């Protein structure tokens, strides 16, 4: 089950989910082909471009990708994650349609939530009954960043509006913040998220930067930069494995 709050992982996965766009200045294209990609158990054939530059003996790789269509899948993941947060005795979540946008390389999503608290008697064995309900529109910004060559994510802005219901069982801001922080903590400690994908990882490439932007024609473009102290032989190995094995995470 995909997590509602794995949106930073979307940045990583989406790099391989659509046709590549223009590379940053100073890079030379070294790879452009339909490629097998398997990230998070979602295998696809994707058009991938890699671009390269060298500086001071260090090799830099850039991957720039249009991920507009992938947003629809991510919105469905959000709705499915919420629908599965349903306990007979405890919290039950519902939501409206999510709205995802990108600004300043951050990921922003807004979603209407309904959270109910159900109890099952004093010993937890009675018939479930609803004790309280909280509703509100949650507006969250998640900020991806690089730390020691690892992709990480942190919580940025967090606001609530149109809130109804005040109870000791369901302080809505506390409930949602707790879920966010728990998911981000698990995400940042997960090697499948924070390290570079194969075959880059085996050649010691680490993240330098990652960013997202919306274009004037409402396309979403992701740029990921990697670097390593590697020779042309390492680049040749990467290219061979891209053609035969594809990209995995």
């Amino acid at each position: 089950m995909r997590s509602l709050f794995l949106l930073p992982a979307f940045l990583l996965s989406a790099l391989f989910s659509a046709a590549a766009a223009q590379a940053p200045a100073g890079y030379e294209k070294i790879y452009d082909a339909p490629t097998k990609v398997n990230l998070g158990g979602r295998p696809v054939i994707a058009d991938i471009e890699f671009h390269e530059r060298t500086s001071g003996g260090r090799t830099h790789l850039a991957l720039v990708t249009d991920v507009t269509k992938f947003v629809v899948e991510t919105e469905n993941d959000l709705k499915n994650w919420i629908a599965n947060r349903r306990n007979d005795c405890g919290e039950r979540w519902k939501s409206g349609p999510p709205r995802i946008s990108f600004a300043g390389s951050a990921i922003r999503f807004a979603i209407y939530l309904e959270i109910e608290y159900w109890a099952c008697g004093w010993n937890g064995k009675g018939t479930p009954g609803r004790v309280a309900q909280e509703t509100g529109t949650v507006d969250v910004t998640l900020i991806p960043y690089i730390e020691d060559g690892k992709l990480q994510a942190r919580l940025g802005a967090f606001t609530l509006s149109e809130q109804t219901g005040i109870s000791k069982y369901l302080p809505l801001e506390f409930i949602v913040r707790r879920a966010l922080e728990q998911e981000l903590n698990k995400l940042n400690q997960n090697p499948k998220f924070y390290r570079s994908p194969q075959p880059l990882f085996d050649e010691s490439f680490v993240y330098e930067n990652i960013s997202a932007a919306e274009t004037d024609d409402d396309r979403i473009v992701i740029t990921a930069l990697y670097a390593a102290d590697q020779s042309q032989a390492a680049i040749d190995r990467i290219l061979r494995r891209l053609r035969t094995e594809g990209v995995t995470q």
Side-chain angles (χ1 to χ4, degrees):
M1 179 179 64
R2 292 205 164 204
S3 166
L4 168 63
F5 300 119
L6 288 187
L7 279 178
F10 158 68
L11 279 175
L12 179 63
S13 301
L15 294 174
F16 310 100
S17 301
Q22 184 178 0
Y27 284 77
E28 179 182 356
K29 185 190 297 184
I30 60 172
Y31 182 87
D32 180 5
T35 303
K36 293 183 294 184
V37 175
N38 192 332
L39 299 176
R42 187 176 275 175
V44 297
I45 300 295
D47 293 327
I48 290 178
E49 288 187 9
F50 273 101
H51 305 256
E52 177 190 15
R53 73 176 177 87
T54 57
S55 176
R58 191 164 175 81
T59 301
H60 304 264
L61 296 177
L63 182 57
V64 184
T65 310
D66 182 334
V67 299
T68 309
K69 293 181 179 179
F70 194 79
V71 171
V72 175
E73 294 184 25
T74 303
E75 291 174 341
N76 288 332
D77 287 341
L78 292 174
K79 291 184 287 186
N80 290 338
W81 188 87
I82 290 173
N84 277 285
R85 289 185 69 90
R86 182 179 178 84
N87 298 307
D88 286 342
C89 304
E91 295 174 16
R92 302 184 187 184
W93 293 40
K94 299 178 183 178
S95 74
R99 301 183 301 277
I100 299 174
S101 60
F102 295 81
S105 296
I107 313 166
R108 179 183 178 185
F109 70 90
I111 192 166
Y112 173 76
L113 286 178
E114 295 181 4
I115 304 179
E116 298 175 345
Y117 186 84
W118 289 66
C120 297
W122 70 271
N123 60 356
K125 297 181 180 180
T127 300
R130 193 178 78 177
V131 176
Q133 181 188 50
E134 294 283 320
T135 69
T137 298
V138 179
D139 195 326
V140 174
T141 299
L142 301 179
I143 302 173
Y145 65 98
I146 308 302
E147 185 175 85
D148 297 328
K150 297 178 180 180
L151 177 59
Q152 299 282 274
R154 63 180 174 84
L155 179 62
F158 181 100
T159 60
L160 282 171
S161 60
E162 302 173 357
Q163 186 175 359
T164 64
I166 303 296
S167 75
K168 64 180 179 180
Y169 297 100
L170 290 171
L172 189 62
E173 181 173 354
F174 172 78
I175 294 290
V176 178
R177 277 185 179 272
R178 181 186 62 188
L180 278 164
E181 290 167 355
Q182 288 174 346
E183 295 295 338
L184 287 173
N185 183 60
K186 290 188 293 185
L187 184 69
N188 287 334
Q189 296 181 39
N190 186 349
K192 291 187 176 182
F193 170 67
Y194 67 65
R195 71 186 186 190
S196 60
Q198 296 287 19
L200 277 67
F201 179 74
D202 280 351
E203 300 294 346
S204 301
F205 277 87
V206 298
Y207 278 96
E208 279 193 307
N209 191 29
I210 191 166
S211 61
E214 292 188 29
T215 65
D216 292 338
D217 58 352
D218 297 324
R219 309 298 293 175
I220 300 169
V221 177
I222 303 283
T223 302
L225 304 180
Y226 309 92
D229 295 323
Q230 285 293 9
S231 64
Q232 184 58 47
I235 300 301
D236 292 341
R237 287 193 295 269
I238 288 174
L239 297 180
R240 286 196 298 270
R241 290 182 61 184
L242 286 172
R243 295 184 182 100
T244 58
E245 302 172 21
V247 177
T248 59
Q249 185 67 41

